[in-house]
Amino acid sequence: MDKLSILAASGLRGRLEALDVLANNLANSATSGFKADNELYSTYAGEASESMMGGVMSALPDVKGRWTNFQQGTLELTGNPQDVAIAGQGFFTVKSPTGPLYSRDGHMKVAKDGSLTNADGYPMLDSSGKGITLVASQAFEVATNGQVRQGGQAVGQLAVVKFDKPDALEKTGYSYFKANETTGKPVPATDADIHQGKIEASNVAPAESAVRLVSLMRQAEFLQRAITMGADMSKRAIEDVGRVGS
Amino acid sequence: MIRALFSAASGMTAQQLNVDNIAHNLANANTAGYKTRRAQFQDLLYQSMIQPGASAGQQTSIPTGLQLGLGTRASSNEILFTQGNFAATENPMDVVIQGRGFFQVRTTNGELAYTRAGSFHTDRDGNMVTSDGDPLEPQITIPSDAQSITIAPDGTVSYKQPNQTASQIAGQLQLALFANPAGLDGLGKNLYKPTDASGDPQVGQPGGQEGIGALLQGYTEQSNVSVVEEFINLIVSQRAYEANSKVVKAADEMYQQVNNLSTR
């Protein structure tokens, strides 16, 4: 294949992957605590492409990764004392069967035995890595520093943590993030405020997404035309060469 | 490509469910004791094309990886048990709970159910019943000739009989408290049933245990649906649906372009 077609085809593939990312963002515009993803392009220059193309147009655009936009979502007032939201950087820590998971989704529940869990029933961890147990039938308050109080007495401290490299956090679905070697160890987030009775809305910006959608479509159209153009040129070259030969 | 289509479709399904929920809330805006339901969403699984932190060479590692999400799903629609407004009715058999408790009623199948709707009546035997005729638990009987029925903040129901000065006590209303009321199972007709998630009911006297709430006679608790909020949610939901449908259209068009490549 000619250089133009290869380049354009790889660009087109990139746009299709970008559309996948955008579709997921828009689908989650109502997911509390959701953080929008953006794709990361890089130019790929492999050995094969260099020998094939002679180094002139050796760099192919490629979707190489994604970065998560950790910008603060709007805090929505729900009036439910079991809802908490984080203003600032940080994540709630929950204990899942597969290890600790981190989330910005602050829908909490009080289990039958009085333990404070998230919406999926995973215990909300306190700063010492243990669960928080409440007197089940009593109301509780969460202070801005994350301290959980019942009847004026402190019963626990919600673990709100942040990471060195939050961009490397792995999204595991159901509003969770998972740490790995690259993210670094979780450290207490000291500058984050906890708000009770509020929920952080998804930070997907609809207007921006709409613009991106249109530009992706136009770019794909343009690249498709480029591929067609490349194919037409090859076709003409083959036909013309054929005519000269006869 | 197919991912984008399915993600967008999942978004549309979720918003449809959200609108169903809003419609149900608005339909019950005037139902005494009704509690708003709010749909909640979670993102679906992610497909890891490049694992975050994978090594890109001997020296470098990919900081973020490439994960493509597969859309959204509705995770629950929980009941919001915030206090509704009180409306004065002048009816001595209307009571509201100023707290988190529930009235206990015995339904026709003999099981206990719980309600916040405190509009009571008496049946032909003089038993205090809900507007559906389900008797309160414990049962309270008021004679047919009773006058000036009083329900005290602690649930004591008393009345006076003609030509008597002293008032008689008919019984005491009891309230139940749940650890996690959001986990109650709605049976319709304003009734709720306990589940494993809600915890077992803890029965107590009105005004006794902390948070259970004292009673107030002559008022009904209106639904806690905020019509303004529901309408705003409706608009947001409609727009989100629209955005997702645009993605379907865009995905379709881009797919078509790819198809056209091969047919040229």
Side-chain angles (χ1 to χ4, degrees), chain A residues 40-199:
Chain A
L40 204 70
Y41 293 98
S42 74
T43 44
Y44 170 74
E47 284 167 39
S49 65
E50 238 165 71
S51 61
M52 190 166 64
M53 307 209 178
V56 182
M57 285 194 290
S58 59
L60 297 174
D62 192 15
V63 175
K64 246 294 154 353
R66 53 108 200 154
W67 59 275
T68 304
N69 178 0
F70 282 105
Q71 212 182 358
Q72 177 80 41
T74 318
L75 297 191
E76 276 178 8
L77 190 72
T78 66
N80 185 352
Q82 300 194 341
D83 287 342
V84 280
I86 302 172
Q89 276 182 30
F91 299 89
F92 294 115
T93 315
V94 298
K95 189 184 164 193
S96 85
T98 54
L101 290 175
Y102 306 93
S103 174
R104 300 269 299 186
D105 179 3
H107 289 295
M108 299 194 296
K109 288 204 162 73
V110 182
K112 220 173 166 179
D113 61 355
S115 59
L116 195 62
T117 71
N118 75 348
D120 287 334
Y122 297 156
M124 303 283 297
L125 291 183
D126 78 351
S127 43
S128 60
K130 289 206 246 350
I132 297 171
T133 310
L134 305 170
V135 180
S137 55
Q138 256 180 45
F140 65 92
E141 289 132 50
V142 183
T144 43
N145 64 1
Q147 195 178 64
V148 184
R149 296 189 191 127
Q150 227 173 9
Q153 294 283 315
V155 287
Q157 173 85 35
L158 284 173
V160 181
V161 296
K162 60 180 182 184
F163 295 91
D164 253 8
K165 290 197 172 71
D167 266 334
L169 282 169
E170 197 180 324
K171 283 189 166 186
T172 63
Y174 308 124
S175 305
Y176 297 118
F177 293 92
K178 200 174 169 184
N180 55 40
E181 280 173 18
T182 322
T183 53
K185 288 255 182 296
V187 289
T190 44
D191 49 354
D193 280 348
I194 312 299
H195 294 263
Q196 192 178 15
K198 289 181 189 165
I199 275 291

Side-chain angles (χ1 to χ4, degrees), chain A residues 223-236:
Chain A
L223 289 164
Q224 184 251 343
R225 201 169 295 166
I227 295 172
T228 317
M229 212 184 273
D232 278 352
M233 279 159 76
S234 322
K235 190 178 157 197
R236 197 166 305 163

